[in-house]
Every structure is written in structure tokens, then in C-alpha cells.
Amino acid sequence: MEDLIQRAAQDLIKARYGIALTGAGISTESGIPDFRGPDGIWTKNPEAEMKAYEVYEQFKTNPKAYWEERLDPHGSMSRLFSIFGEIGKVQPNCGHYALAELEKMGVLKSVITQNVDGLHQKAGSKKVIEYHGGIDKFRCIECNRRLSTEELNLEKIKIEGKLPPYCQCGGVIKDDGVFFGEPIPSDVVEKSQREAWKCDLMLICGTSAVVYPFASLPQMVSPSTIIIEINSEPTPLTGRISDYLIQGKTGEILPKIAERAEKIQKG
Ligand SMILES: [Zn+2]
């Protein structure tokens, strides 16, 4: 294990363009349950899960009705969005901070995450591509412009009877989080592909990367790209796509890698 940590630190320092892919595993260590495990968010809230499957269709069919229900504190979406509200209060852990540190050192160029919790940004990572959007913001479905909760005063729009909210471009605004059945926003797909093509090192942290289209990213890299996996268990990537697996918690392994990398960098 120590050898692998040293190897990863050396590989990172040598890399010209290193990126990280992250998934639920890095956030479960901050106390965010996964979705389908025994204590998973959907496992414990089957109704919210059912709702999660319906909301995109609802939004597409009638965005006004979607937003009215979405903002109704007793409406059928209230449980679903209160879960997201809880997730928004969670704090980053050592794994998130280590990735932010590696970016600051110039070793990592970006993080592409499947998580919607915003913890990488909270930890200080600057270049974060949120593959499935973020729960703390909104997005115009036409021009992909993102708006923060401060920029979009939903209560005011609701009181004025102007729902659904519209972007300057005329497009309807929805929650930025990508719902079931919703395509990944085109700008995110393009940016992620460019990062995957460009990188010569990919760190895969806390994800088995089996859900498409995210799962296609490790397969897009050039053949010489080093892929390092940090996961608690072997995954379908292990021994096939990744060059090596460092098995364990991202919150323990990533800080060790960052520390070693810093030593090597300082000489
Ligand atoms: Zn727009």
C-alpha cells in the first residue's frame, strides 16, 4: 500500500495534465449516504425515489406546474428537495481537501465529479465540472447558463405569478441537478470529453464509474494515460482500465498521496 501511494505521488508529479474523477465514495465519508445501499437515500425514501423518476417528465410537460409544485412546502416534491437541502449542509472531508491541495500545487488540473453536493468547491477546488449538476444552483435549459440561489429570487417570482423562471435568452430555468431521464448538459459533456482527451493521468476516486455516459470518460483517454484508482473495493475498472488500484478510503489515501507529492515537488 505504501509503495502504491509513493508510486501515485510520483506519477502525479511527472504528469503534464492530471485530472480526477470522483463519485459517491468520496462524499459518503462526509456522511452523505449513497443512494442504493442499505442506508441509501432511495432505500430509505422510496417515495422520494419514485418522485425523482417523475420530475423531469413533469418539468418538460409543464414547467409552470413543475415550479409551482416544487415551491410548495407541502407539495409532493417537498421530501425530495428537503433531502437535497440536507445534503447541502454537509462539510467536505480530507479527501476533498487533498484534491484541492493537489490542484493548488498545479498537479491536478480539474475534477470531474458525479456528486451534486458541491463539496469539492467548498474544499477549495477551483476547476470542478459537475457532471450531474449541482443542488445549489439553477440552469437555463437553452443556453446552459448557471444561476446561484442568490441570483434567482424564486419566492419573488412566485409571488409575482411569473413562474416558471426564465433566462435572459428566453429559455426556461430548471434546477441544475440532472434528473433521471434528463440528458447530461451539452457543455458538461464537451468539457469533460476535452479533459479526458487532454489528460495523461486520471485519478479515479470513490466511483466504480459504471453509469454511462460518465463511465465512458476513462475509456476516452489516450493509451499512454496512467489511470489510478482509489476505491474501497475492486471495480469493473480494476485490472482492465485502471493501471493500479489503491484500495481503501479516499479520505485516508488522498491526503497521504498529496503529502508525498508535496515532498517530491519540494525536493
Ligand atoms: Zn438561457
Side-chain angles (χ1 to χ4, degrees):
M1 164 96 104
E2 289 303 309
D3 288 351
L4 286 178
I5 286 169
Q6 181 68 20
R7 183 176 166 189
Q10 277 165 342
D11 284 341
L12 272 161
I13 291 294
K14 269 187 265 166
R16 172 186 48 78
Y17 201 95
I19 68 169
L21 304 192
T22 69
I26 193 164
S27 289
T28 47
E29 291 171 40
S30 277
I32 295 180
D34 56 14
F35 282 92
R36 303 199 189 278
D39 281 322
I41 292 171
W42 297 148
T43 316
K44 287 167 89 179
N45 298 280
E47 277 170 32
E49 181 182 11
M50 260 170 60
K51 198 69 214 169
Y53 277 100
E54 292 166 10
V55 280
Y56 185 57
E57 203 49 46
Q58 221 170 331
F59 175 84
K60 271 199 310 184
T61 318
N62 189 342
K64 184 180 169 65
Y66 165 88
W67 273 108
E68 282 170 352
E69 201 177 329
R70 159 85 168 78
L71 297 175
D72 178 356
H74 307 290
S76 65
M77 292 180 206
S78 57
R79 180 77 196 117
L80 182 61
F81 283 92
S82 77
I83 291 171
F84 295 147
E86 289 303 311
I87 291 175
K89 292 178 195 157
V90 173
Q91 294 306 312
N93 62 58
C94 301
H96 298 103
Y97 287 114
L99 290 179
E101 191 55 39
L102 286 167
E103 184 185 334
K104 219 182 284 169
M105 290 165 60
V107 169
L108 269 188
K109 306 298 183 198
S110 67
V111 175
I112 307 173
T113 185
Q114 291 173 289
N115 303 334
V116 294
D117 50 40
L119 292 180
H120 288 298
Q121 294 94 322
K122 273 192 193 170
S125 287
K126 299 283 178 249
K127 195 166 172 202
V128 181
I129 301 171
E130 295 179 299
Y131 207 77
H132 295 142
I135 48 171
D136 59 342
K137 55 180 90 67
F138 307 97
R139 164 170 43 92
C140 167
I141 58 164
E142 295 299 332
C143 72
N144 286 325
R145 178 175 169 227
R146 306 305 194 282
L147 293 109
S148 68
T149 41
E150 289 84 38
E151 286 170 296
L152 190 68
N153 190 339
L154 286 168
E155 279 310 310
K156 184 167 171 266
I157 298 170
K158 181 184 166 184
I159 291 164
E160 290 172 348
K162 289 180 181 162
L163 289 173
Y166 283 97
C167 172
Q168 296 157 335
C169 82
V172 183
I173 291 171
K174 79 173 275 295
D175 290 281
D176 183 39
V178 174
F179 295 146
F180 289 123
E182 179 182 354
I184 306 298
S186 54
D187 60 337
V188 167
V189 172
E190 284 162 25
K191 268 192 229 164
S192 306
Q193 281 177 351
R194 271 203 301 271
E195 292 297 296
W197 285 328
K198 225 198 272 187
C199 76
D200 59 351
L201 183 143
M202 183 182 269
L203 210 54
I204 301 181
C205 316
T207 176
S208 52
V210 287
V211 178
Y212 279 90
F214 188 84
S216 62
L217 294 172
Q219 297 166 15
M220 267 177 208
V221 302
S222 88
S224 60
T225 297
I226 298 172
I227 301 185
I228 309 167
E229 213 190 323
I230 303 165
N231 274 314
S232 54
E233 300 292 337
T235 71
L237 303 169
T238 314
R240 205 169 55 89
I241 304 244
S242 65
D243 288 274
Y244 53 100
L245 162 72
I246 311 180
Q247 198 170 343
K249 289 184 173 171
T250 48
E252 288 167 13
I253 292 168
L254 285 170
K256 286 185 189 166
I257 294 175
E259 198 183 315
R260 293 284 179 87
E262 216 161 6
K263 271 188 195 152
I264 300 170
Q265 201 179 48
K266 283 178 182 160

